[in-house]
Each structure stands twice: as structure tokens, then as C-alpha cells.
Amino acid sequence: MATSVRIVGVGATPVGRLGRSAEELAEAALDRALADAGMGRGDLQGLIAVPSLSNPTFMQAHQLATRMGLLPRRKMIVRTIDTGGAGPITALGTARNMILSGWTDTVAVVASDAVLSMNRELFRARADDAVRGSGLPSPSIPHGYDRIAQWHMRRHGVTREQLAMVPAIFSHFSARHPDAMCREPFTVEAVLASPRVAPVTNVLECARRADGAAALVISSSSHFRRHFPKSLELCPAIVSTGEASGPLYPPAEIDEELFSCERAARIAFESAQLSVRDIDFFALYDCFPICFLRALEAVGCCPSGGAGEFVERAWRQLATRGTLAPSEFPFNLHGGLACFGAPWEVPAMYGVLEAVAQLTGRAAGRQVTPKPRRALVYGNGGIFSASAVAVLGDGVY
Ligand code: CAA
């Protein structure tokens, strides 16, 4: 069998207000992922980490590797990647490239943050500072997405209610996930009645501040088969990845050129020789509803400008029957950023973890049936500033 690159272990801490530092959480998640792979710290040859907002440090991955006794070690490559919320998927692609180019056999990717245990004013100041120079009012990131949502409404006729349907659907999904922060489904009316954050954005539509960490162990199939007993059938393949970049914050004139997700998805599809029709489960970044709507259009689930209607069809089905089967709307079945929880740059990892659960048939209570063969995961950084897409395949891929 040809060598492929596999996700051989996954691990996460709970998500919520944990009162532990980002470093402690990273260590806990990484040890869980190693245990899931049947490995110890000594089996790692690479570590990739993304920066935290709660405790920003110089060369974050080196700090973590030193803390965990992974450095100094001769055969160890350590790298910090910062493409914002796209970071975990950029890291997945980087790990795959490191393995395919023969640099290492086994690399861990870890993301962690503790932004809910942070003082709320400090969080706001640091988050605003992430897009300094944008001229956006505080909270700057929600206002930046809001500007784009307003543009989309004018250009494509997306309604205020359609935006609100996004978290309302995902609240039904998160209620089925044992680890999600939002435990009770809510309605579109509840979203529209929640406190206003920006002109067309309310609290229930915002990425939900959280503490948490998640980690992956990635290995070449040949190395893993030779040294570890876990069946490769339980280890999804990283089939392809793609990346593209946009501006740090929305320019004065917004147009389609701003969005980089379409380019990232095209690269991932072309290199896998697949199309959207080959994908059975999608984890699409949804820090605010407009991000999810744009992603639906960018990966080709609906025509450009058609995402509002696409979501409304699903919501009407859910509202009529009181439920939506996972196979009827195979998107973000963990609940996404507003309902599962969003520890700053970690959430795309939750998308990967949900894709792994779906591809291995272990998403109890929310499993897409028949079991998906392929999944697409999209991470978005800044305000549409970075896009990274990965196509994953099941263990027999
Ligand atoms: N669902 C339910 N409740 C929510 C919620 C959600 N999605 N979001 C916030 N809340 C609740 C909070 O739990 C809190 O409730 P309590 O008072 O009962 O504790 C209340 O709303 C107030 O929230 P905050 O404590 O956060 O304080 P705030 O009023 O100062 O701020 C906010 C509200 C402006 C919405 C703030 O939570 C916020 O800025 N959220 C967005 C965070 C963000 O921008 N994340 C990054 C997204 S972009 C991205 O992901 C890309 C990247 O590169 C990182």
C-alpha cells in the first residue's frame, strides 16, 4: 500500500471556563492525543503550535516543546504558525508537507487558549489590537464581519433572519454534543432578541469566548504501521490541503476579491482531483454567520449569493419537524464557533476533531449515515485574512 499521511491520534480538553493557562491546556490535549495514538512524548519528531491571545509568548511552539521536555532533542522540528483562526489547518498542511518531504515521520499539531478566563476588558483590548489600523469601532472583529454581512445583504439580498438562522441551526447540533458549551437549542427570534453587538450582529451570532485546547498526532502510514498497533482504519488520511490570503481587515471598497476561501478550496480540490460532490461532511468556519454563508458559496455547496436561501431551507425543515438529521445538513455537527465554543485560534481544530469522529463512525448521536468517506475542513483567520482548507479521507482511503 502506498504511504499516506494519517491523523493517528486526537485529544482535547473540555471547553468552557477552565481557570488553567493556555500552556497547561496545550500539554493536557497533546498528552491525550499521544495516548490516543498509542505513543509517548519520546515518539514525536515534530511539534507545530499556534499562538495564544491570553498568554502571547515568543516562539510559542518552542516554549511548549521546552516545557514538555521535547527540546533539546536532535531529531525534532518545532514551528509556530500564525494564520489566525486558519492556523490549525495551515499547521495540518505543514505537518503533511514535512512528512511527505521526508523531514519527519510523526508531527503533533496543538492549539490552545484561555480567553474566557481572561478579564473581559483585556480580551477586548487584545482582540481589537489584532486589527489595529482598521478604523473599526470596538469590538473591532465583530464590526469587521458585520460590514461584510451588510455588503452581502445589499449585493445578494441575504436577509437579517437568514443570518440568524445559522447559529439557531447549530444550537440544535451542539445540544447533541456532550462537550459543547451551548446545551439548549434556541430560535431565530431568540437570536434577534439577544443584545446587539454591531448593526446586523447580535451576541448569539458571535464566536463564543472559551478556554480549551485540542491536538492531533500526524504520521506517515508506513512508519505508523511499522511501530504502533492501532489500526490504520481508525486513522483518517490528509488527502490534500490548500491555502490563500486576503487583507488584514476589510478595505474601504468590499468586493469578491476579498475572499480567499474559494482559492484555497480550489487548490485543495484540484490537488486531490475531487470536487464538492465527493465530500460527505463539512466543517466550515463560522465565527459569525457571514463567514459560514461565504464558505458555503466558496466551496461550491450553493451558487454565489445563494447561501442565505440554502440555510433557510434547512431551517424551515428543522422548524417544521423540530429536528434535522445529521445527513440532511452535514455541516458543523459539533455546533461551530458560536455554540460549541471558540478559544481564539483553536476552533478549526474542533472542526478537524468532528471530521475525524464522523469519518471513523464515532460521532455518537450525531453521526452522518452512511458513514462519510471524505470530509472538508475550512479554517479562517482574521477578518477573511487567511483561508486554509483540508480534504480528509476515511481510514481505508
Ligand atoms: N452564545 C451565548 N452567549 C454568548 C455568546 C454566544 N455566542 N457570545 C457571548 N455570550 C455571552 C457571554 O457568555 C456573556 O454572558 P455572561 O454575562 O452570562 O457571562 C455575555 O454574552 C457577554 O459576553 P462577554 O463576556 O464576552 O463580554 P462583552 O459583552 O464585553 O462582549 C462580545 C460580547 C462582543 C460578543 C464578545 O464576546 C466578543 O467579542 N465575541 C467575539 C469574539 C471574537 O471576535 N472571536 C474571534 C472571531 S474571528 C476568528 O475566529 C478568526 C481568528 O483569526 C481568531
Coordinates of all heavy atoms in Angstrom, one line a residue, residues 49-54 60 80-89 109-115 123 130 210 212-214 285 337 342-350 379-382:
A49 N 2.6 24.6 16.8 CA 1.7 25.2 17.7 C 1.2 26.5 17.1 O 1.9 27.1 16.2 CB 2.2 25.4 19.0
V50 N 0.0 27.0 17.5 CA -0.4 28.3 17.1 C -0.4 29.2 18.3 O -0.5 28.7 19.4 CB -1.9 28.2 16.5 CG1 -1.9 27.3 15.3 CG2 -2.9 27.8 17.5
P51 N -0.3 30.5 18.1 CA -0.1 31.4 19.3 C -1.4 31.5 20.1 O -2.5 31.3 19.5 CB 0.2 32.8 18.6 CG 0.3 32.5 17.2 CD -0.2 31.2 16.8
S52 N -1.3 31.9 21.3 CA -2.5 32.1 22.1 C -2.6 33.6 22.4 O -1.7 34.4 22.3 CB -2.4 31.4 23.5 OG -1.4 32.0 24.3
L53 N -3.9 34.1 22.6 CA -4.1 35.5 22.8 C -4.0 35.8 24.3 O -3.5 36.8 24.7 CB -5.6 35.9 22.4 CG -5.9 37.4 22.4 CD1 -5.3 38.0 21.1 CD2 -7.4 37.6 22.3
S54 N -4.3 34.8 25.2 CA -4.3 35.0 26.6 C -2.9 35.1 27.2 O -2.6 35.8 28.1 CB -5.0 33.9 27.3 OG -4.4 32.6 27.0
Q60 N 6.0 30.4 20.4 CA 5.1 29.6 21.3 C 5.4 28.1 21.2 O 5.4 27.4 22.3 CB 3.7 29.9 20.9 CG 2.7 29.3 21.9 CD 1.7 30.4 22.4 OE1 1.8 31.6 22.1 NE2 0.8 29.9 23.3
T80 N 6.1 27.6 15.1 CA 4.9 28.3 15.4 C 4.3 28.8 14.1 O 5.0 29.4 13.3 CB 5.2 29.4 16.4 OG1 5.9 28.9 17.5 CG2 3.9 30.1 16.8
I81 N 3.0 28.7 14.0 CA 2.3 29.1 12.8 C 1.2 30.1 13.2 O 0.4 29.9 14.0 CB 1.7 27.9 12.0 CG1 2.8 27.2 11.2 CG2 0.6 28.4 11.0 CD1 2.4 26.0 10.5
D82 N 1.2 31.3 12.5 CA 0.2 32.2 12.8 C -0.6 32.7 11.5 O -0.1 33.6 10.8 CB 0.7 33.5 13.5 CG -0.4 34.3 14.1 OD1 -1.6 33.9 13.9 OD2 -0.1 35.4 14.6
T83 N -1.6 32.0 11.2 CA -2.6 32.4 10.2 C -3.9 32.6 10.9 O -5.0 32.3 10.3 CB -2.6 31.5 9.0 OG1 -2.9 30.1 9.5 CG2 -1.4 31.5 8.2
G84 N -3.9 33.1 12.1 CA -5.1 33.3 12.9 C -5.9 32.1 13.0 O -5.4 31.0 13.2
G85 N -7.2 32.2 12.9 CA -8.1 31.0 13.0 C -7.9 29.9 12.0 O -8.4 28.8 12.1
A86 N -7.2 30.3 10.9 CA -6.8 29.3 9.9 C -5.7 28.4 10.3 O -5.3 27.4 9.7 CB -6.5 29.9 8.5
G87 N -5.0 28.8 11.5 CA -3.7 28.2 11.9 C -3.7 26.7 12.0 O -2.8 26.1 11.5
P88 N -4.8 26.1 12.7 CA -4.7 24.7 12.8 C -4.7 23.9 11.4 O -4.1 22.9 11.3 CB -6.0 24.3 13.6 CG -6.2 25.6 14.4 CD -5.8 26.7 13.5
I89 N -5.4 24.5 10.4 CA -5.5 23.8 9.1 C -4.2 24.1 8.3 O -3.6 23.2 7.7 CB -6.7 24.3 8.3 CG1 -8.0 24.2 9.2 CG2 -6.8 23.4 7.0 CD1 -8.3 22.9 9.7
V109 N 0.3 18.6 16.2 CA -0.2 19.9 16.0 C -1.1 20.2 17.2 O -1.9 19.4 17.6 CB -1.1 20.0 14.7 CG1 -1.8 21.4 14.7 CG2 -0.3 19.8 13.5
V110 N -0.8 21.4 17.8 CA -1.6 21.7 19.1 C -2.0 23.2 19.0 O -1.3 24.0 18.6 CB -0.8 21.4 20.3 CG1 0.5 22.1 20.4 CG2 -1.7 21.6 21.6
A111 N -3.3 23.4 19.5 CA -3.8 24.8 19.6 C -4.5 24.9 20.9 O -5.2 24.0 21.4 CB -4.8 25.0 18.5
S112 N -4.2 26.0 21.6 CA -4.8 26.2 22.9 C -5.0 27.7 23.3 O -4.2 28.5 22.8 CB -3.9 25.5 24.0 OG -2.8 26.3 24.2
D113 N -6.0 28.0 24.1 CA -6.1 29.3 24.6 C -7.0 29.3 25.8 O -7.7 28.3 26.1 CB -6.6 30.3 23.5 CG -5.9 31.7 23.6 OD1 -5.6 32.1 24.7 OD2 -5.7 32.3 22.6
A114 N -7.0 30.4 26.5 CA -7.8 30.5 27.7 C -8.5 31.9 27.7 O -8.3 32.7 28.6 CB -7.0 30.3 28.9
V115 N -9.2 32.3 26.7 CA -9.7 33.6 26.5 C -11.0 33.9 27.4 O -11.4 35.0 27.5 CB -10.0 34.0 25.1 CG1 -8.7 34.1 24.3 CG2 -10.9 33.1 24.3
F123 N -9.4 41.0 27.1 CA -9.7 40.3 25.9 C -10.1 41.3 24.8 O -9.6 41.2 23.7 CB -10.9 39.3 26.1 CG -11.3 38.7 24.8 CD1 -10.6 37.7 24.2 CD2 -12.5 39.2 24.1 CE1 -11.0 37.2 22.9 CE2 -12.9 38.7 22.9 CZ -12.2 37.7 22.3
A130 N -5.6 43.2 17.4 CA -5.3 42.3 16.3 C -5.5 42.9 15.0 O -4.9 42.5 14.0 CB -6.1 41.0 16.5
A210 N -14.1 31.2 24.9 CA -13.9 29.9 25.7 C -12.5 29.7 26.0 O -11.6 30.2 25.3 CB -14.5 28.8 24.9
G212 N -9.8 26.3 26.1 CA -9.8 24.9 25.6 C -8.6 24.7 24.7 O -7.9 25.6 24.3
A213 N -8.3 23.4 24.5 CA -7.1 23.0 23.7 C -7.5 21.8 23.0 O -8.3 20.9 23.4 CB -5.9 22.8 24.6
A214 N -6.8 21.6 21.8 CA -7.0 20.4 21.0 C -5.7 20.0 20.3 O -4.9 21.0 20.0 CB -8.2 20.5 20.0
Y285 N -15.7 27.1 8.9 CA -15.5 28.1 9.9 C -16.7 29.1 10.0 O -17.2 29.6 8.9 CB -14.3 28.9 9.6 CG -13.6 29.5 10.9 CD1 -12.7 28.6 11.6 CD2 -13.7 30.8 11.3 CE1 -12.1 29.1 12.7 CE2 -13.1 31.3 12.4 CZ -12.2 30.4 13.1 OH -11.6 30.9 14.2
L337 N -18.5 27.7 16.0 CA -17.9 28.6 17.0 C -18.8 29.2 18.0 O -18.5 29.5 19.1 CB -17.1 29.7 16.2 CG -15.7 29.3 15.8 CD1 -15.7 28.3 14.6 CD2 -14.9 30.5 15.5
A342 N -15.3 28.9 21.3 CA -14.3 29.4 20.4 C -13.1 30.0 21.2 O -13.0 31.2 21.4 CB -14.9 30.4 19.5
P343 N -12.1 29.1 21.6 CA -10.9 29.6 22.2 C -10.0 30.2 21.2 O -8.9 29.6 20.8 CB -10.3 28.4 22.9 CG -11.3 27.3 22.7 CD -12.1 27.6 21.5
W344 N -10.3 31.4 20.6 CA -9.5 32.2 19.7 C -9.0 31.4 18.5 O -9.8 31.2 17.6 CB -8.3 32.8 20.5 CG -7.7 34.0 19.8 CD1 -6.3 34.0 19.4 CD2 -8.2 35.2 19.3 NE1 -6.1 35.2 18.8 CE2 -7.2 36.0 18.7 CE3 -9.5 35.8 19.4 CZ2 -7.4 37.2 18.1 CZ3 -9.8 37.0 18.9 CH2 -8.7 37.7 18.2
E345 N -7.8 30.9 18.4 CA -7.3 30.2 17.2 C -7.5 28.7 17.3 O -7.1 28.0 16.4 CB -5.8 30.5 17.0 CG -5.6 32.0 16.7 CD -4.2 32.4 16.1 OE1 -3.5 31.5 15.7 OE2 -3.9 33.6 16.1
V346 N -8.2 28.2 18.3 CA -8.4 26.7 18.4 C -9.5 26.2 17.5 O -9.4 25.0 17.0 CB -8.6 26.4 19.9 CG1 -8.8 24.8 20.0 CG2 -7.5 26.8 20.8
P347 N -10.6 26.9 17.3 CA -11.8 26.3 16.8 C -11.7 25.4 15.5 O -12.5 24.5 15.4 CB -12.8 27.5 16.5 CG -12.3 28.5 17.5 CD -10.8 28.4 17.6
A348 N -10.8 25.8 14.6 CA -10.7 24.9 13.4 C -10.3 23.5 13.8 O -10.6 22.5 13.1 CB -9.8 25.5 12.4
M349 N -9.6 23.4 14.9 CA -9.2 22.0 15.4 C -10.5 21.3 15.8 O -10.6 20.1 15.6 CB -8.4 22.2 16.7 CG -7.0 22.5 16.4 SD -6.1 21.1 15.7 CE -4.9 20.8 16.9
Y350 N -11.5 22.0 16.3 CA -12.8 21.3 16.7 C -13.4 20.8 15.4 O -14.1 19.8 15.4 CB -13.7 22.2 17.5 CG -13.1 22.6 18.8 CD1 -13.3 23.9 19.3 CD2 -12.4 21.7 19.6 CE1 -12.8 24.3 20.5 CE2 -11.9 22.1 20.8 CZ -12.1 23.4 21.3 OH -11.6 23.7 22.5
G379 N -10.6 26.6 7.7 CA -10.3 27.5 8.8 C -10.1 28.9 8.2 O -9.5 29.0 7.2
N380 N -10.6 29.9 9.0 CA -10.5 31.3 8.5 C -9.8 32.1 9.6 O -10.1 32.0 10.8 CB -11.9 31.8 8.3 CG -12.0 33.3 8.4 OD1 -11.6 34.0 7.4 ND2 -12.7 33.8 9.4
G381 N -8.8 32.9 9.2 CA -8.1 33.7 10.1 C -8.3 35.2 9.9 O -8.5 35.7 8.8
G382 N -8.3 36.0 11.0 CA -8.5 37.4 11.0 C -9.9 37.7 10.5 O -10.9 37.0 10.8

